[in-house]
Amino acid sequence: MSRPPDSLQRVFDNAFAAISQARDAFVPQIKPHEVGTIMNVSTGIAKVSGLPGVGYDELVKFPGDVYGIAFNVDEDEIGVVLLGEYWHLHAGDEVLRTGRVMDVAVGDGLLGRVIDPLGRPLDGEGPVASTKRLPIERPAAPIMDRAPVTVPLQTGLKAIDALIPIGRGQRELILGDRQIGKTAIALDTILNQRDQNVLCVYCAIGQRASSVAKAVATLREKGALDYTVIVVTEGNDPPGLAYIAPYAATSIAEHFMEAGRDVLIVYDDLTQHARAYREISLLLRRPPGREAFPGDIFYIHSRLLERATHLCKELGGGSLTALPIIETEAQNISAYIPTNLISITDGQIYLSPALFELGVLPAVDVGKSVSRVGGKAQRAAYRAVAGDLKLAYAQFEELETFARFGARLDDNTRKSIEHGRRIRACLKQPEFAPVSVSAQIAILLALTAELFDALPLAQMTDAEHAVIAAAANIPIEVCKRLYTAEKLGDEDRKAIIEIARLALVQFQPAPKPKPIAHKENA
């Protein structure tokens, strides 16, 4: 055998000397761990004993990398809400304290991704890139750190932007019966944020996998996924995941808000969230109250929605706008959860089944819908036309009900009804087709100038599309003024109305020929 070169021998000697030195310097430390034991496991929860130092909301770890949140902290046991598949857990298994609360990954790396509330990717595109984590439960911004809501959040829907305006930093409830277009309004609003410098977070709570897949496909097809984060829990997930989903989504949105960005968050829907919390509470033997919901159900939603706000300039001036969705049963908006959320939010958009059946989509009931921020968060150009429009529409709805009795109507009443029908036709809008501000103003001004009144109702859709196309001809300086806080000048108003009038000339009915009068024979 040949002897290794001296240089190689020296390398080995130095390495072994360093290992020996490290071994001699190592002092083993005793680090205590609190280890508990599972007493029993049921649907989505576990009873654990032997963790005397655990705190409320602390994260605990089960075998198989399953985590849970300490929910009930009693003297001799704790009730833990499980956040994953628990079929392999059994009584007697060990439970470890983590010493931290539940947190979620945040940052720009989440944009365009579909994740669950634990931050695990669901889109098959590899791990989520993130360097920062935030707790899912965070205190809302103090009152002194907030600024008034003054900048509008355009939804692209004429009925909402004109009559029920939403501001950046507002909380606007969307409620109505099932399968009536609540999610469609939220998705339309997300689609309309393209090029508006608004990031979006869509939180699907306990939804069917097919519904979520359809929403994701729509956002991807329209190019909205680039500025959107989607947080998903499906109907077959444990109730604990559905419970933490909106809080995790809000922390993701808050990270962007605190960086000075404008953010829109959609909770779809909080009915499922309330049901998940009720299920957890009943399993943990918490005393039931009205409709078997626990007494703090109001608090879990208020502390969630209170985090939506507009921060003052000193803190970056970011905003978080919340659109919570609630499902009513048989139009009962006075049920427990809807009334709770109506009192928490800054207004509501109510969708009517009667309008839905008539084909008026979106089926927004203007009479029952309200924005408590109102014109403060609406562009001046809208304010100039929206007041007259809302009054005319409200009068039409009253007169339409009266006219059903077959009473003989005078000319003014008949004219008001015909005008109201044109307003209703103009407020109709197909799904996923948001309308720009300039096009909306052109349509609304044409309505107030009664340019549509002479047209047959059957031609209203084509006439409206003609006005939208003609809105591209509005001078650039006039368009700029539409997007500012300046009032709409008379000259600007006349210019826009003239453009709309020229677009509608082709739809004007031909004048009826006058009957020829025959002279009587003398």
Side-chain angles (χ1 to χ4, degrees):
M1 270 180 69
S2 61
R3 195 176 170 188
D6 290 344
S7 58
L8 188 58
Q9 183 67 42
R10 199 178 304 112
V11 170
F12 279 122
D13 290 344
N14 290 341
F16 285 124
I19 291 171
S20 300
Q21 189 178 354
R23 183 193 62 194
D24 295 339
F26 175 72
V27 179
Q29 294 179 344
I30 299 174
K31 192 175 181 182
H33 287 279
E34 278 191 39
V35 180
T37 307
I38 297 178
M39 295 174 66
N40 63 65
V41 181
S42 57
T43 309
I45 67 157
K47 297 286 182 68
V48 176
S49 66
L51 295 176
V54 77
Y56 177 70
D57 258 2
E58 185 177 335
L59 207 60
V60 293
K61 187 176 180 182
F62 293 86
D65 277 342
V66 175
Y67 287 90
I69 297 174
F71 232 56
N72 280 10
V73 183
D74 300 324
E75 282 187 48
D76 50 354
E77 68 175 23
I78 60 169
V80 179
V81 176
L82 299 171
L83 303 177
E85 293 296 338
Y86 49 85
W87 55 268
H88 61 281
L89 301 180
H90 303 95
D93 287 349
E94 287 189 348
V95 185
L96 290 173
R97 278 187 65 187
T98 62
R100 61 186 178 93
V101 295
M102 179 65 204
D103 55 19
V104 67
V106 297
D108 289 350
L110 273 69
L111 292 173
R113 300 303 302 271
V114 182
I115 61 172
D116 71 358
L118 301 177
R120 297 177 300 202
L122 300 175
D123 50 11
E125 295 182 10
V128 174
S130 173
T131 56
K132 187 177 179 182
R133 300 183 73 86
L134 286 179
I136 63 168
E137 293 268 17
R138 305 178 73 214
I143 296 296
M144 298 306 292
D145 290 349
R146 303 182 181 214
V149 175
T150 53
V151 181
L153 182 103
Q154 297 294 136
T155 64
L157 299 168
K158 293 164 291 192
I160 295 175
D161 289 341
L163 306 178
I164 317 147
I166 300 172
R168 296 187 183 184
Q170 188 176 342
R171 299 156 298 183
E172 186 81 5
L173 181 66
I174 302 173
L175 77 164
D177 288 4
R178 65 188 302 273
Q179 297 295 320
I180 207 171
K182 302 185 295 297
T183 301
I185 285 181
L187 293 179
D188 271 337
T189 307
I190 291 174
L191 295 179
N192 197 52
Q193 303 318 307
R194 170 183 280 281
D195 302 325
Q196 301 291 321
N197 199 25
V198 177
L199 301 178
C200 303
V201 179
Y202 176 70
C203 179
I205 308 167
Q207 299 291 314
R208 293 194 309 273
S210 58
S211 302
V212 176
K214 185 179 176 184
V216 172
T218 300
L219 294 176
R220 181 175 280 119
E221 180 189 339
K222 304 285 184 181
L225 211 56
D226 301 338
Y227 54 86
T228 305
V229 182
I230 301 177
V231 181
V232 176
T233 59
E234 295 173 5
N236 57 350
D237 285 334
L241 273 182
Y243 168 68
I244 68 166
Y247 298 103
T250 307
S251 286
I252 292 168
E254 274 183 330
H255 170 74
F256 296 124
M257 175 183 74
E258 289 166 359
R261 310 288 294 273
D262 291 314
V263 192
L264 167 70
I265 186 164
V266 175
Y267 304 109
D268 188 11
D269 65 35
L270 290 185
T271 309
Q272 299 293 344
H273 184 243
R275 286 172 183 161
Y277 186 66
R278 175 172 63 182
E279 181 181 349
I280 291 166
S281 299
L282 291 174
L283 287 165
L284 289 171
R285 304 291 184 192
R286 292 187 173 186
R290 180 176 162 190
E291 296 177 31
F293 287 105
D296 62 343
I297 190 75
F298 180 91
Y299 174 62
I300 74 160
H301 285 153
S302 62
R303 76 172 189 255
L304 172 71
L305 291 167
E306 195 62 28
R307 293 162 70 179
T309 186
H310 178 207
L311 295 176
C312 59
K313 284 186 178 178
E314 292 76 15
L315 294 175
S319 69
L320 176 54
T321 310
L323 292 182
I325 295 175
I326 275 288
E327 181 186 300
T328 56
E329 295 177 350
Q331 306 173 52
N332 183 15
I333 63 173
S334 61
Y336 189 26
I337 303 302
T339 48
N340 276 356
L341 280 145
I342 286 171
S343 63
I344 293 167
T345 50
D346 307 314
Q348 71 271 356
I349 297 169
Y350 176 68
L351 303 186
S352 162
L355 290 174
F356 185 80
E357 288 160 8
L358 286 172
V360 179
L361 299 176
V364 177
D365 187 325
V366 176
K368 290 181 182 175
S369 302
V370 64
S371 172
R372 296 190 186 98
V373 173
K376 296 277 186 186
Q378 195 174 30
R379 300 190 193 280
Y382 280 98
R383 286 201 296 275
V385 294
D388 297 340
L389 200 68
K390 196 162 188 176
L391 181 63
Y393 193 54
Q395 287 176 340
F396 155 68
E397 288 185 321
E398 292 293 326
L399 289 171
E400 189 183 39
T401 306
F402 176 70
R404 286 182 188 142
F405 295 114
R408 293 181 65 183
L409 305 174
D410 60 274
D411 289 341
N412 284 338
T413 304
R414 195 176 294 109
K415 188 178 178 184
S416 296
I417 290 175
E418 289 301 319
H419 182 55
R421 284 177 178 152
R422 277 28 178 215
I423 295 174
R424 176 184 280 169
C426 277
L427 293 182
K428 287 184 186 179
Q429 198 165 329
E431 204 174 4
F432 310 137
V435 181
S436 67
V437 170
S438 54
Q440 286 192 36
I441 296 295
I443 291 169
L444 297 175
L445 280 174
L447 270 175
T448 53
E450 301 182 354
L451 299 184
F452 289 109
D453 288 15
L455 309 185
L457 268 175
Q459 288 190 312
M460 279 298 297
T461 304
D462 294 335
E464 190 185 342
H465 288 158
V467 173
I468 291 173
N473 300 325
I474 296 175
I476 295 173
E477 58 273 13
V478 176
C479 279
K480 285 180 180 175
R481 285 196 285 274
L482 295 180
Y483 285 90
T484 63
E486 294 180 33
K487 288 187 177 180
L488 200 63
D490 289 341
E491 293 299 321
D492 294 343
R493 184 190 285 257
K494 286 177 184 174
I496 296 171
I497 290 175
E498 187 57 33
I499 288 171
R501 180 180 282 113
L502 291 174
L504 294 175
V505 165
Q506 56 182 315
F507 300 99
Q508 295 290 343
K512 294 180 180 178
K514 293 181 180 178
I516 300 170
H518 295 282
K519 291 183 180 180
E520 293 183 6
N521 293 327

